[in-house]
Amino acid sequence: MEIRKTLNESEFTKIESISQVYQNDYTLKDYQKIFDDLFDINKIRNCSFTDPIWYIFDPLSQLDLHMRFNLISYPDINLHLRFYTLLRISSGKAAKTVYDELASLRKVILYSNGFQNVEKLKEFFIESINNYKYLGNHLIMVTKIFIDFYRCENYQEILDLCESMPNYKKSIRELPNFQDVLALDDIINNYFKNSHLKENITYLPILIWWLLTNILPMRPSEFLKLKKDCLIKDEKNQKFHISVPRIKNLNSELNNSLHYDLITIDEATYKLLMSAKNQINHFFPDNEYLFPSGIFNINAKNSGTKKNSILNLRDFNDLKDRFYKEIVEGKYQKYDLERVKAGDTRHFAIINMCLQGFSMHNIATLAGHTELRITQSYFSHTKSFVQSYVYKLTQLKLESDISHRMDTAIIGWKKYLVHKSSLEKKNVNKNHVGKIQYGFCMELKENFPNTCIEFCEFCPKYIFAPSVNESEEAIKWLSYQSEELDKKIDEVLALLKSLISLPQRYGNDLNIVERKTAARKLQQFIELKSSVNSQIEGVLNGRN
């Protein structure tokens, strides 16, 4: 088994020692010493070396994970599972990672009769791969690591079996449907704008999670560790900051290192967070964290006292599930939305930063990625994200065009949309340019053509209102422009991908102007695409 230890680290380099460890390299006394050391630093809690269950604290979830060593039919394997756990934890593996590895090994050991029945083990591997590719591959990988450490009599046969299994390359993380993400965004914003504090105080962590982690790539565990005094206002320079906890992801370190980054935010975000902080502080004035555990039970029918002082990840996920059930489904009647996981918003933030032209190095730093290839993989989601965003903007344009004609009722929405172009045509008078191809120009004659842009169809003063006999031809013409914009968007995305992936030289950002220019072009094309699509949909709805 490979053990890594950090020898020296600077801002740009890290020196590690890597060694292979086998079962006979340490004595029982050595392992007991490792256990005692982990106990002394509170990594292992409330147990002794011989206990059947070890409680290992996971700082990410703020929970004690139960590591079970109760395979009484296989005492020697059971003992070596303890050794394996100690070495993995002491070399810096996350508690949850080791917990999952032990769960996988227990299945493998029980299914193979303590590694004695290799044929059954092979069947188990094949079945696992066929049913769950990634989980099946994880079983094989963990078995290979453990058996190379344990070295039972037939260990080479098992290693050969592991090597013969098909290798599953983990794919890029799948994200929920972006249309559903944008629908959830509408619901969250509408709910908190139109509900009272007494009703929504329990769900304030949901609002802050949604607004903050969609712009800052924070892990859920980092978000939940925000302190109440995290907001800082620089009165002299009129700048606003937030102190964000960061869990340093170092596999070769024994302790998860928690440090804080000071990140600049805009005034609107500062005011919103300050308002939420004051509301929570009214109920929990003595808690140092922004999200105390007690917030989970406000307004809950069966309230109880939480042992932990901070809202942990399990409670947050339960709170998010409750929000979906009571608000998304119960209040807004949206039953078919694909649910967003707590960690998904961090990925949305990374995608958003890519589209804004941030350098790959800056994004990786903010996201806590140790390898640039991980950050670069997020570009695979940008096309789908842009398409969904265009669709959303199209709908918003259709709604905003008619909002000044509507009251709060829904009745009349479609009816007005059908006649939108004919109503706007009535506003055209002799002072305007008037009739042009497939519509009308609302520009004043005295300003024409000095204010013209290259293409009429992209101009905000152009009314797409083809006559009945030219409708088919007009929609084809506008659809062609929409397709051309698709090509332009693809070209800019490809350019952005190449620009943000260029290496920095000695920490200097060399192509920031080109990236920002490309990002502005992308925004422009998205805006134009949504304008064209809204005009097409308006006419098509008018025809139905």
Side-chain angles (χ1 to χ4, degrees):
M1 180 167 55
E2 187 177 273
I3 301 294
R4 291 171 175 260
K5 295 289 183 182
T6 298
L7 302 177
N8 188 24
E9 182 180 11
S10 67
E11 184 179 356
F12 299 105
T13 61
K14 180 169 68 173
I15 301 175
E16 294 181 336
S17 67
I18 303 174
S19 57
Q20 290 292 332
V21 176
Y22 305 101
Q23 60 163 321
N24 296 325
D25 290 346
Y26 292 99
T27 65
L28 177 61
K29 187 175 180 180
D30 293 329
Y31 286 113
Q32 288 175 327
K33 175 66 166 58
I34 295 173
F35 179 93
D36 292 338
D37 290 342
L38 292 172
F39 188 88
D40 289 342
I41 63 172
N42 209 31
K43 197 76 175 180
I44 299 179
R45 313 208 287 196
N46 305 323
C47 55
S48 66
F49 179 84
T50 56
D51 285 344
I53 299 177
W54 291 355
Y55 303 95
I56 298 184
F57 180 66
D58 176 29
L60 301 183
S61 64
Q62 293 288 301
L63 297 171
D64 283 332
L65 300 181
H66 296 187
M67 309 285 187
R68 300 181 184 277
F69 306 100
N70 53 0
L71 298 175
I72 55 177
S73 298
Y74 308 104
D76 189 57
I77 296 177
N78 205 42
L79 178 63
H80 282 82
L81 285 175
R82 296 173 192 266
F83 298 163
Y84 175 88
T85 299
L86 290 172
L87 292 175
R88 297 293 272 175
I89 293 292
S90 64
S91 62
K93 289 294 179 184
K96 183 62 168 62
T97 299
V98 180
Y99 176 86
D100 291 339
E101 289 178 353
L102 276 182
S104 296
L105 286 171
R106 284 171 57 85
K107 293 177 184 177
V108 168
I109 292 163
L110 292 172
Y111 206 94
S112 65
N113 299 328
F115 298 117
Q116 294 305 304
N117 194 327
V118 179
E119 281 303 314
K120 285 193 69 176
L121 181 60
K122 181 178 180 179
E123 290 175 8
F124 183 51
F125 283 165
I126 293 173
E127 181 184 351
S128 299
I129 291 174
N130 289 337
N131 293 335
Y132 313 99
K133 285 185 179 179
Y134 174 68
L135 292 178
N137 187 257
H138 181 262
L139 279 172
I140 296 167
M141 179 195 71
V142 174
T143 301
K144 183 178 176 181
I145 294 172
F146 178 75
I147 210 70
D148 189 45
F149 163 73
Y150 177 46
R151 302 220 160 190
C152 52
E153 290 184 3
N154 61 343
Y155 87 93
Q156 191 59 56
E157 185 180 3
I158 296 174
L159 283 178
D160 292 341
L161 172 63
C162 292
E163 290 292 345
S164 69
M165 289 291 106
N167 185 27
Y168 171 69
K169 187 176 181 181
K170 187 177 179 181
S171 61
I172 298 166
R173 175 179 175 140
E174 291 185 6
L175 295 175
N177 183 287
F178 286 124
Q179 298 285 2
D180 292 348
V181 172
L182 294 170
L184 177 64
D185 181 58
D186 281 344
I187 290 171
I188 289 175
N189 281 281
N190 184 276
Y191 172 71
F192 283 97
K193 285 178 182 176
N194 298 290
S195 61
H196 298 292
L197 173 62
K198 187 176 180 181
E199 177 188 354
N200 67 37
I201 178 65
T202 297
Y203 294 124
L204 274 180
I206 301 295
L207 173 67
I208 301 174
W209 160 72
W210 188 252
L211 296 181
L212 189 60
T213 62
N214 266 309
I215 58 174
L216 292 178
M218 299 172 64
R219 295 178 177 87
S221 51
E222 295 170 340
F223 166 74
L224 293 172
K225 288 184 177 64
L226 282 171
K227 292 194 173 181
K228 197 181 291 181
D229 60 357
C230 63
L231 297 171
I232 301 167
K233 181 179 180 181
D234 183 347
E235 297 283 358
K236 182 178 179 181
N237 299 309
Q238 283 300 298
K239 290 188 175 181
F240 306 90
H241 309 279
I242 182 171
S243 179
V244 175
R246 294 299 195 188
I247 297 173
K248 213 169 185 181
N249 184 23
L250 296 175
N251 283 339
S252 55
E253 290 295 327
L254 181 58
N255 294 313
N256 286 298
S257 176
L258 184 68
H259 68 284
Y260 288 82
D261 287 341
L262 201 62
I263 297 174
T264 302
I265 55 177
D266 59 28
E267 185 175 4
T269 303
Y270 174 85
K271 286 182 176 179
L272 185 143
L273 292 174
M274 184 61 75
S275 174
K277 167 194 165 182
N278 292 336
Q279 291 171 28
I280 295 173
N281 195 52
H282 175 75
F283 292 89
F284 306 96
D286 300 325
N287 198 295
E288 68 171 311
Y289 291 100
L290 187 57
F291 307 115
S293 59
I295 200 171
F296 179 81
N297 289 321
I298 295 180
N299 298 331
K301 293 180 181 178
N302 300 317
S303 60
T305 303
K306 291 283 183 180
K307 293 181 180 180
N308 45 305
S309 61
I310 183 175
L311 192 70
N312 60 40
L313 186 56
R314 181 175 60 191
D315 288 343
F316 179 80
N317 284 329
D318 288 345
L319 186 64
K320 183 166 60 67
D321 288 342
R322 194 198 306 173
F323 183 83
Y324 267 100
K325 183 177 180 180
E326 295 182 358
I327 307 304
V328 176
E329 298 175 355
K331 187 179 179 68
Y332 289 90
Q333 305 294 299
K334 293 288 187 180
Y335 298 100
D336 57 349
L337 296 186
E338 185 177 356
R339 295 198 174 188
V340 176
K341 301 182 184 69
D344 286 342
T345 52
R346 175 171 175 264
H347 299 264
F348 301 155
I350 294 170
I351 294 168
N352 190 39
M353 292 179 74
C354 288
L355 296 177
Q356 291 181 66
F358 283 81
S359 75
M360 197 63 73
H361 291 78
N362 288 339
I363 298 172
T365 299
L366 279 174
H369 290 158
T370 54
E371 298 180 52
L372 285 180
R373 64 174 180 81
I374 299 174
T375 314
Q376 290 167 343
S377 69
Y378 282 85
F379 236 95
S380 63
H381 295 294
T382 54
K383 176 64 175 175
S384 177
F385 186 88
V386 167
Q387 288 173 339
S388 299
Y389 190 54
V390 167
Y391 175 82
K392 182 65 178 175
L393 278 182
T394 300
Q395 304 309 308
L396 289 175
K397 285 180 183 294
L398 286 169
E399 293 173 18
S400 63
D401 282 341
I402 63 173
S403 61
H404 65 287
R405 302 276 183 175
M406 291 173 54
D407 55 19
T408 55
I410 298 177
I411 298 172
W413 190 90
K414 281 281 185 183
K415 184 178 180 181
Y416 176 73
L417 181 60
V418 168
H419 300 292
K420 173 177 176 290
S421 60
S422 61
L423 285 170
E424 288 188 335
K425 279 192 295 183
K426 294 179 180 179
N427 295 324
V428 180
N429 57 48
K430 63 180 181 180
N431 296 319
H432 296 117
V433 174
K435 178 67 177 173
I436 57 174
Q437 185 183 30
Y438 304 133
F440 296 85
C441 177
M442 293 286 288
E443 181 58 273
L444 295 174
K445 289 179 179 178
E446 61 189 58
N447 297 329
F448 183 83
N450 297 327
T451 56
C452 280
I453 62 173
E454 186 176 358
F455 299 103
C456 291
E457 59 269 29
F458 302 143
C459 180
K461 295 187 177 181
Y462 174 66
I463 302 172
F464 183 61
S467 60
V468 175
N469 63 340
E470 64 182 7
S471 179
E472 292 286 345
E473 183 183 343
I475 289 175
K476 286 182 181 178
W477 168 72
L478 209 53
S479 297
Y480 170 78
Q481 305 304 328
S482 179
E483 292 169 3
E484 287 298 301
L485 283 167
D486 272 332
K487 295 176 184 177
K488 291 182 181 294
I489 287 172
D490 287 344
E491 289 171 0
V492 176
L493 283 174
L495 175 62
L496 259 179
K497 182 179 181 180
S498 64
L499 287 173
I500 71 173
S501 301
L502 289 175
Q504 293 186 357
R505 186 171 297 173
Y506 306 113
N508 294 323
D509 201 347
L510 301 178
N511 62 349
I512 185 169
V513 175
E514 291 86 350
R515 289 199 316 272
K516 294 300 181 183
T517 301
R520 283 194 295 271
K521 278 188 177 181
L522 179 63
Q523 289 292 330
Q524 179 188 10
F525 292 146
I526 289 173
E527 179 72 25
L528 292 175
K529 169 82 173 169
S530 63
S531 295
V532 170
N533 286 3
S534 67
Q535 293 187 77
I536 294 172
E537 286 198 30
V539 171
L540 290 175
N541 279 323
R543 186 195 291 172
N544 296 331

